[in-house]
Amino acid sequence: MSDSAAPDIVPDSEHRGLVARLPQLPRDLAQLARFDRPIGWWLLFWPCVWGVWLTGAGWQWALLGWLLLGSIAMRGAGCVYNDIVDADLDRKVARTASRPVASGRVSKKLAWGWLLALCLVGLLVLLQLRPLAQIVALGSLAMVAAYPFMKRITWWPQAWLGLVFTWGLLVGWTQLRSDNLDALAAMYVGAALWVIGYDTIYAMQDREDDALVGIRSSALRLGGQVKGGVALFYAGAVALWALAFWLYRADWVALLALLPAAGHLAWQVSTLDDGGNPLERFRSNRWTGALVAAACFVVGNA
């Protein structure tokens, strides 16, 4: 990567070389939708997989392909919207000051156009779903629109994100069945706690800047008890996932399927280093999602 391109690559980009090779405008639009950071759409996609595989309907590869496309597009749309709303705040935070809208490289008018294009992809995915799943999917839009404002009014914007970022679980489930809603509810609340835990880890990177500019977060609220707080959220997530499995299939052996995911979450907490690895531990949740997905497939289809 050339030195001239380096300043335009945000600090937590995962694919600096690929993004840096793009011409300036495509590069900025890719960054705006966070295409350089696939961890976001992985974390949005995995709950979709949980919902599909726990139904017992088999692999459902075509459905998962559509949900993956929807996750990429709508995560991108959400990021564009968030950057439009938060442009003034992003300029005051070191990690986000170089983002395309905050830095002025992309106008808000162009950003709104890019947002519309991504939403059209999401609409294409929506049209592949049955009516009940379409209604469920559309039910998340108001919460998505409200999310960027949560950091201004509550210390727990991560809780709101938890409700939003795991909505695909409900969509995947209702595409294939509409019963066992008690198991679905337990799985969903557990997923929301998981999001609070990993996004608290992510927010650890910005605590000093957030405090200076008045942004609220769970990482700031927990203060010196961040590790304990994350451990509590993760423990609650695993407990609720176990409850969901039990409500779906009252078999103690089925609960063993959660052990790999529980072990991975315990490793995250035990090795979390405030000064060195929050971003790495946050990104490792792609493996948590995969491990829970495997557990859902086993419990749902074995």
Side-chain angles (χ1 to χ4, degrees):
M1 182 175 64
S2 67
D3 292 338
S4 61
D8 294 338
I9 307 299
V10 292
D12 49 353
S13 174
E14 292 190 30
H15 296 292
R16 294 171 180 247
L18 178 61
V19 172
R21 292 188 183 97
L22 295 173
Q24 185 66 54
L25 182 57
R27 180 196 311 164
D28 287 335
L29 294 178
Q31 288 180 4
L32 193 55
R34 310 294 195 274
F35 290 159
D36 56 329
R37 283 175 283 169
I39 180 59
W41 53 258
W42 275 118
L43 294 175
L44 190 62
F45 175 62
W46 280 125
C48 300
V49 182
W50 305 350
V52 170
W53 281 356
L54 191 58
T55 64
W59 296 106
Q60 295 289 326
W61 292 120
L63 174 59
L64 292 181
W66 283 112
L67 292 174
L68 176 59
L69 177 61
S71 296
I72 296 171
M74 296 315 295
R75 185 263 184 153
C79 290
V80 175
Y81 174 69
N82 189 80
D83 280 12
I84 293 171
V85 173
D86 281 351
D88 291 338
L89 288 176
D90 284 345
R91 293 186 189 102
K92 302 174 183 178
V93 177
R95 186 178 58 81
T96 59
S98 64
R99 286 179 174 173
V101 176
S103 65
R105 296 195 311 275
V106 171
S107 68
K108 287 190 176 181
K109 182 178 180 180
L110 177 57
W112 280 113
W114 182 218
L115 172 61
L116 176 60
L118 291 167
C119 287
L120 289 175
V121 177
L123 176 61
L124 174 64
V125 174
L126 185 71
L127 294 175
Q128 311 308 311
L129 305 177
R130 69 170 180 155
L132 176 60
Q134 290 178 347
I135 293 170
V136 171
L138 291 172
S140 68
L141 294 181
M143 292 194 299
V144 172
Y147 170 68
F149 302 98
M150 291 299 109
K151 63 175 70 74
R152 297 165 169 85
I153 63 176
T154 176
W155 287 102
W156 296 96
Q158 282 71 26
W160 194 268
L161 184 69
L163 298 177
V164 172
F165 231 64
T166 54
W167 200 262
L169 172 69
L170 308 181
V171 176
W173 181 278
T174 54
Q175 172 65 13
L176 296 169
R177 61 190 299 173
S178 54
D179 59 344
N180 283 102
L181 297 183
D182 52 353
L184 177 61
M187 198 73 196
Y188 175 63
V189 178
L193 291 179
W194 172 57
V195 174
I196 298 173
Y198 73 58
D199 202 56
T200 297
I201 293 175
Y202 187 78
M204 290 171 68
Q205 302 172 92
D206 298 330
R207 283 190 293 187
E208 292 183 5
D209 286 336
D210 286 351
L212 288 173
V213 302
I215 297 175
R216 300 179 181 185
S217 75
S218 55
L220 281 173
R221 188 63 172 173
L222 290 168
Q225 304 301 318
V226 171
K227 287 185 69 169
V230 172
L232 187 62
F233 290 126
Y234 279 172
V238 173
L240 283 165
W241 292 336
L243 174 61
F245 284 5
W246 182 261
L247 292 171
Y248 185 83
R249 173 183 292 180
D251 181 354
W252 289 106
V253 177
L255 302 184
L256 297 178
L258 279 173
L259 287 179
H264 182 74
L265 292 173
W267 167 81
Q268 280 187 44
V269 174
S270 65
T271 60
L272 181 61
D273 177 6
D274 193 355
N277 64 13
L279 183 60
E280 181 184 344
R281 291 297 174 270
F282 162 76
R283 286 176 177 166
S284 73
N285 278 283
R286 75 185 70 193
W287 298 112
T288 309
L291 291 170
V292 177
C296 287
F297 188 84
V298 169
V299 173
N301 296 276

